[in-house]
Amino acid sequence: AGAIIFGATIVPFLMFAGYKGALGANGFGQLLAVALIFVLSANFRFREYADKSIDFQVMLKLVAIVAVVGISAFSLKLIVNRLYLYGLFYWLMFLGFLVVSSLYAMAPAHALTSTVSLIGSFTFLCYCCVRFGPDQTVRIVVWSGAILCVVSLVVYVVVPSFGRMSDWYGNQYVVTSRLQGIFGSSNGAGSSAAGALFVTMAFYARQKSPSRLVVVGGGLAMLACLILSNNRMAIIALGVAFGLNYVMARNFGRRLLVGFALSALALALLILFQDEIFSLVSRSGDAEEITSATGRTRIWPVVIDLWYRSPIIGWGFASAQHILPIHPDLFLAAAHAHNLYLEILFSTGIIGFGLFIWCILTTIVLCVRIGARRELSMFVFFLVYGLTEPVLNGPFSYPLAAWFLVVVLLFHKAKGVIEGEERPVVAIPVRAPIPLRLLRPN
């Protein structure tokens, strides 16, 4: 009875806030955006990979997917007019093919829902950028990431059986010290925290009036989630992103030499003390855990072998989680390819993989062309992280919010830089692009 009374009291306010937010009212619109990203990213119950039944959380996520798709659809003309059209077209073509691949997937309903959530969330971030502006869109992503991390830390302490990853140790399935929070997995928590931390430090903290509470408190929560998740690849990718951002900021040649020197030193230490270093960073104390990429070297040959059987169009989006766990050469935890590029190749074949590589190349060229070093650094984070994790293998999640964000920010910046000039800008690593007409002699 109390829940009914509470619901009857609060639902009208939520409906009003949702209505105003859908209309684009700044305050309500941004709060609605944060709520939608939170709902699409959060997980509040245990669920097996093979379990695709409809429960309350699934219904809530379906409502959120309908919301992001609907709001974006009504603003499609505005999105096309205010973002760099060619880049936008390539990414939408790739995401559109993911939708097509879901039609012949092992579980078409689940795959179609997942791909619609991806394309809807991407266009929703486009909508936020053109409706509220790039700075406010960064705030939306940072606020949602901070909330997810804070709640995950609370769950990690209060409900360890849910907030911490469970894994096999010998013949026992025990709760470990690795944080997974409300992200659904420790790797998801690590990649989310790392992505949110970079966006916070490189984008949000540089705005005119960032909230110190969000920068300091949210940043510490993100850092704590990253460390407690023990996601080594997320830490490495974050280091690469910050390093690339540092090198391209100013004094490019000098900083590049420093970067090469430090990399050479690290490589030398790794060669000389390989076993000691690998044993130190491994979770089990066994160097073989690192050399086998935590069992991934068993998964990758199987994925490639299966791809040979359907090389052109692949097996369909998200089909790996239905095929790999029951493969005789693998194990139940092999629910995906554990590699972004192999996952795309396996699920969409040469066609989808070619579109994906084209999107990557054109995005990198565009970053260099207009001097978008922060966007390029964040984009590279996911390219590095994708070496051991699939990233694009299911419905929308928070790491994709950070990835899609920098792509949208890039298209927004490119719209003003490229389409406002007679010729392309000079591709040099500076803070602001220099138009060619300023370099031509009078």
Side-chain angles (χ1 to χ4, degrees):
I4 295 176
I5 295 174
F6 175 78
T9 304
I10 197 67
V11 165
F13 292 100
L14 293 177
M15 292 179 63
F16 176 75
Y19 171 74
K20 296 291 289 186
L23 292 179
N26 283 343
F28 287 113
Q30 292 166 39
L31 288 175
L32 178 63
V34 171
L36 289 174
I37 293 176
F38 179 85
V39 169
L40 289 170
S41 305
N43 177 64
F44 294 103
R45 47 92 170 99
F46 289 108
R47 189 178 179 90
E48 298 293 338
Y49 279 113
D51 182 7
K52 307 305 176 190
S53 60
I54 304 296
D55 58 14
F56 177 76
Q57 178 166 293
V58 172
M59 290 297 298
L60 192 61
K61 288 182 180 292
L62 290 175
V63 171
I65 292 173
V66 171
V68 295
V69 171
I71 294 173
S72 304
F74 282 109
S75 306
L76 189 57
K77 183 177 180 180
L78 186 66
I79 292 171
V80 171
N81 289 337
R82 295 191 181 181
L83 295 180
Y84 183 58
L85 184 58
Y86 292 109
L88 185 65
F89 173 75
Y90 296 145
W91 275 89
L92 289 178
M93 182 183 294
F94 165 67
L95 292 174
F97 188 76
L98 293 186
V99 176
V100 173
S101 72
S102 67
L103 300 178
Y104 55 85
M106 298 295 293
H110 170 252
L112 186 60
T113 303
S114 299
T115 52
V116 170
S117 77
L118 295 177
I119 197 168
S121 300
F122 177 78
T123 54
F124 180 71
L125 285 172
C126 292
Y127 156 79
C128 290
C129 188
V130 300
R131 178 62 184 82
F132 306 121
D135 286 352
Q136 294 299 327
T137 307
V138 168
R139 292 187 181 188
I140 289 169
V141 174
V142 169
W143 290 345
S144 57
I147 295 171
L148 286 164
C149 287
V150 169
V151 175
S152 292
L153 289 174
V154 173
V155 173
Y156 179 81
V157 175
V158 176
V159 193
S161 61
F162 180 80
R164 305 183 187 190
M165 176 183 173
S166 296
D167 200 0
W168 288 99
Y169 277 83
N171 295 324
Q172 293 184 326
Y173 193 64
V174 299
V175 177
T176 68
S177 61
R178 295 187 65 190
L179 176 144
Q180 67 178 16
I182 59 173
F183 292 101
S185 69
S186 294
N187 287 337
S191 59
S192 297
L197 185 60
F198 187 88
V199 173
T200 301
M201 297 296 109
F203 290 88
Y204 181 69
R206 295 189 55 185
Q207 294 182 3
K208 291 183 178 179
S209 56
S211 168
R212 291 186 178 180
L213 176 63
V214 174
V215 173
V216 178
L220 289 175
M222 296 165 190
L223 181 61
C225 282
L226 176 59
I227 294 173
L228 291 173
S229 71
N230 197 7
N231 187 336
R232 295 168 302 214
M233 200 61 190
I235 296 174
I236 293 172
L238 183 62
V240 172
F242 275 121
L244 184 60
N245 187 53
Y246 169 80
V247 167
M248 294 191 300
R250 60 171 69 91
N251 300 324
F252 178 74
R254 184 185 307 171
R255 294 191 177 193
L256 185 61
L257 288 176
V258 172
F260 273 127
L262 293 176
S263 299
L265 176 60
L267 181 60
L269 292 174
L270 184 62
I271 293 175
L272 293 174
F273 306 101
Q274 176 176 319
D275 291 339
E276 292 82 355
I277 293 175
F278 284 171
S279 298
L280 180 64
V281 299
S282 68
R283 302 185 186 105
S284 62
D286 186 357
E288 194 272 338
E289 176 185 326
I290 304 299
T291 57
S292 68
T294 322
R296 287 169 173 81
T297 53
R298 288 180 56 189
I299 300 174
W300 295 336
V302 174
V303 172
I304 294 174
D305 178 67
L306 289 173
W307 166 69
Y308 282 146
R309 304 179 190 182
S310 182
I312 305 300
I313 62 173
W315 291 83
F317 188 78
S319 291
Q321 61 186 262
H322 301 278
I323 298 174
L324 298 184
I326 61 175
H327 193 279
D329 295 335
L330 296 179
F331 39 90
L332 291 177
H336 47 70
H338 285 277
N339 179 285
L340 170 63
Y341 312 97
L342 288 179
E343 183 74 24
I344 297 298
L345 185 64
F346 177 84
S347 60
T348 63
I350 294 176
I351 297 177
F353 184 74
L355 290 172
F356 181 58
I357 295 301
W358 180 252
C359 287
I360 290 176
L361 294 178
T362 54
T363 300
I364 292 175
V365 169
L366 185 59
C367 286
V368 175
R369 185 180 178 188
I370 68 174
R373 63 179 177 84
R374 292 180 298 169
E375 289 82 357
L376 177 59
S377 300
M378 188 64 198
F379 192 76
V380 169
F381 166 87
F382 287 99
L383 299 184
V384 174
Y385 183 72
L387 294 173
T388 58
E389 293 299 326
V391 186
L392 280 166
N393 70 312
F396 176 82
S397 57
Y398 186 82
L400 292 175
W403 196 6
F404 288 166
L405 170 69
V406 294
V407 174
V408 172
L409 293 178
L410 174 67
F411 294 161
H412 184 273
K413 181 182 293 186
K415 177 72 175 182
V417 172
I418 293 179
E419 297 189 9
E421 300 296 336
E422 296 178 358
R423 296 187 181 183
V425 296
V426 177
I428 56 177
V430 293
R431 287 185 174 273
I434 302 176
L436 283 177
R437 67 165 180 267
L438 298 181
L439 300 178
R440 291 199 298 267
N442 294 326

